[in-house]
Amino acid sequence: MPQGKPSVVPEDGLTTRQRRTRPLVIVHTGPGKGKSTAAFGTALRAWNQGWPVGVFQFVKSAKWRVGEERALQVLGRSGEGGTVTWHKMGEGWSWIQRGDQEDHAADAREGWEQIKRDLAAETYRLYVLDEFTYPIKWGWIDVEDVLAALAARPGSQHVVITGRDAHPDLVAAADLVTEMAKVKHPMDAGQKGQRGIEW
Amino acid sequence: MPQGKPSVVPEDGLTTRQRRTRPLVIVHTGPGKGKSTAAFGTALRAWNQGWPVGVFQFVKSAKWRVGEERALQVLGRSGEGGTVTWHKMGEGWSWIQRGDQEDHAADAREGWEQIKRDLAAETYRLYVLDEFTYPIKWGWIDVEDVLAALAARPGSQHVVITGRDAHPDLVAAADLVTEMAKVKHPMDAGQKGQRGIEW
């Protein structure tokens, strides 16, 4: 854990306070577990600060994230912290499972256009773009467009992007990058995912 | 993300269902961020299943985990999921900051004795032992005692242990181990931690 002593003081013309509240682009990548889970943990802190939180899920699954979604929805409704808005495929953006790669690509692009509009409007203070590395990896969304929109975002909006194989240009542009490496997983010992742990 | 196809089926005499609900020891280690954050994200899933969750914080700080603690306390009180019990230094175990290493060692051992009692009594279904690698690393708590208590725990109790430098015997005994590697951190660019992101 960082102990509050930066190893260098940059010559960026910012005050310590400005630098301290600089909005961050955070990437959780790598083959290990915890990428999305840690992003939702970060959302707890943002909620505690009273920030509006927007979650955008880019890979659909019936089971995945149900626990995190319900927990964050309950927190958002509690009135004791920030709001939580949860966007996912099949809801919101008319994201429909049609089994056709072209449709998925169009849906992913539509989701990304919504995020760009929200960034421009400063709708949220923390964005969780869950599994967003994949539509970039698959060429559905142009990484240059992503970097331009992130660089141009106004105000103090933090963005957390999760998923394996983060594009090198995204890693280069990010402020904080953590690689989750798999050391050992129960799947290796023939165990399938289980309720309460995997979802 | 695991797609539900184990690469091997073990000859352990268990049914798929028994194997599937086998209680897990999970370790989040490594120098990168997200170890504790992902553990608290896992707690959201456990809460969603209605499980009693016990959090045990082994490193005291005024700021760290305040967001996670408040979020999990609000969830625990909501009545919409499981309960959450949060133990930390200075509360519960008469854990007092006296600046004396021997006292800290005794306090850590006292905390661990409480966890052993809770495991024996099946008090919780998910245990988050936050920063628990350190008292083991510092020799305050015997790793063999930890492994024996984990191996002997009854019922279906999952245990998540976080912290750098997890003891090799703990890694060997765990079911799921993720190493969080630091790729890039704002501290490297002279930025200190900030509200809503680091705490």
Side-chain angles (χ1 to χ4, degrees):
Chain A
M1 47 185 147
Q3 291 297 339
K5 273 276 185 195
S7 50
V8 284
V9 175
E11 297 181 21
D12 53 12
L14 298 176
T15 66
T16 300
R17 184 180 178 81
Q18 285 170 325
R19 206 177 295 118
R20 187 159 190 154
T21 57
R22 186 166 55 102
L24 301 177
V25 173
I26 299 170
V27 173
H28 296 171
T29 190
K33 289 183 63 67
K35 296 184 291 292
S36 298
T37 312
F40 294 117
T42 299
L44 300 183
R45 297 188 189 137
W47 168 86
N48 184 52
Q49 294 297 332
W51 295 356
V53 175
V55 178
F56 298 79
Q57 271 193 284
F58 275 86
V59 174
K60 184 184 174 66
S61 159
K63 289 188 299 196
W64 288 70
R65 322 281 181 249
V66 289
E68 292 91 331
E69 181 184 356
R70 199 160 76 87
L72 285 166
Q73 300 276 25
V74 166
L75 288 171
R77 288 195 307 266
S78 72
E80 301 199 34
T83 57
V84 177
T85 309
W86 197 287
H87 306 268
K88 59 183 164 180
M89 303 175 208
E91 288 177 30
W93 312 317
S94 71
W95 197 313
I96 297 159
Q97 282 281 77
R98 281 165 296 199
D100 180 315
Q101 178 169 314
E102 266 317 295
D103 290 334
H104 286 305
D107 291 340
R109 282 191 287 267
E110 192 179 328
W112 168 239
E113 292 301 321
Q114 178 62 47
I115 292 164
K116 283 200 285 188
R117 287 189 292 269
D118 285 328
L119 286 169
E122 300 187 52
T123 308
Y124 307 106
R125 184 96 185 255
L126 177 74
Y127 296 71
V128 176
L129 311 190
D130 191 34
E131 314 271 19
F132 188 51
T133 58
Y134 299 102
I136 296 172
K137 178 184 178 183
W138 298 330
W140 296 354
I141 295 173
D142 179 27
V143 69
E144 291 308 318
D145 186 46
V146 172
L147 299 185
L150 291 175
R153 73 194 190 282
S156 178
Q157 302 180 89
H158 302 282
V159 180
V160 184
I161 295 172
T162 78
R164 297 184 184 210
D165 304 325
H167 193 289
D169 295 352
L170 177 62
V171 169
D175 300 290
L176 194 161
V177 180
T178 302
E179 161 111 3
M180 275 70 168
K182 183 180 82 167
V183 175
K184 188 195 278 188
H185 191 282
M187 296 280 294
D188 302 334
Q191 182 165 15
K192 297 179 80 174
Q194 61 177 289
R195 181 190 303 268
I197 298 296
E198 305 280 344
W199 68 85
Chain B
M1 45 185 149
Q3 291 297 341
K5 272 276 184 191
S7 50
V8 283
V9 175
E11 297 181 24
D12 54 12
L14 298 176
T15 65
T16 300
R17 185 180 177 83
Q18 285 171 326
R19 205 176 298 117
R20 186 155 192 158
T21 57
R22 186 165 56 103
L24 301 177
V25 173
I26 298 171
V27 173
H28 296 171
T29 191
K33 291 182 63 67
K35 296 184 288 292
S36 298
T37 312
F40 295 118
T42 300
L44 300 183
R45 297 187 190 141
W47 168 85
N48 184 51
Q49 294 297 331
W51 296 356
V53 175
V55 179
F56 298 79
Q57 272 193 284
F58 275 85
V59 175
K60 187 184 172 65
S61 159
K63 288 188 298 195
W64 286 71
R65 323 279 182 250
V66 289
E68 292 91 329
E69 180 182 357
R70 200 161 75 87
L72 284 167
Q73 300 276 24
V74 167
L75 288 173
R77 288 195 306 266
S78 72
E80 301 199 36
T83 59
V84 177
T85 308
W86 196 288
H87 306 269
K88 61 183 165 182
M89 301 176 210
E91 288 179 29
W93 313 316
S94 69
W95 197 313
I96 299 160
Q97 282 281 76
R98 281 164 295 197
D100 180 317
Q101 180 170 312
E102 266 317 295
D103 289 334
H104 287 306
D107 291 340
R109 282 191 287 267
E110 193 180 327
W112 167 239
E113 293 299 322
Q114 178 62 47
I115 293 164
K116 283 200 285 188
R117 287 189 292 270
D118 284 330
L119 286 169
E122 299 187 54
T123 307
Y124 307 107
R125 183 96 185 253
L126 176 75
Y127 296 71
V128 176
L129 310 190
D130 192 34
E131 315 271 20
F132 188 53
T133 58
Y134 300 101
I136 297 173
K137 178 184 178 182
W138 298 330
W140 296 354
I141 294 172
D142 178 27
V143 70
E144 291 307 318
D145 186 45
V146 172
L147 298 185
L150 291 175
R153 74 194 190 283
S156 179
Q157 302 180 89
H158 302 282
V159 181
V160 184
I161 296 171
T162 77
R164 296 184 185 210
D165 304 326
H167 193 290
D169 295 352
L170 177 63
V171 169
D175 301 290
L176 195 160
V177 180
T178 302
E179 162 111 2
M180 276 71 169
K182 183 179 81 166
V183 175
K184 188 194 280 187
H185 191 281
M187 297 280 294
D188 303 334
Q191 181 163 16
K192 298 180 79 175
Q194 62 179 288
R195 181 189 304 268
I197 298 296
E198 304 280 341
W199 68 83

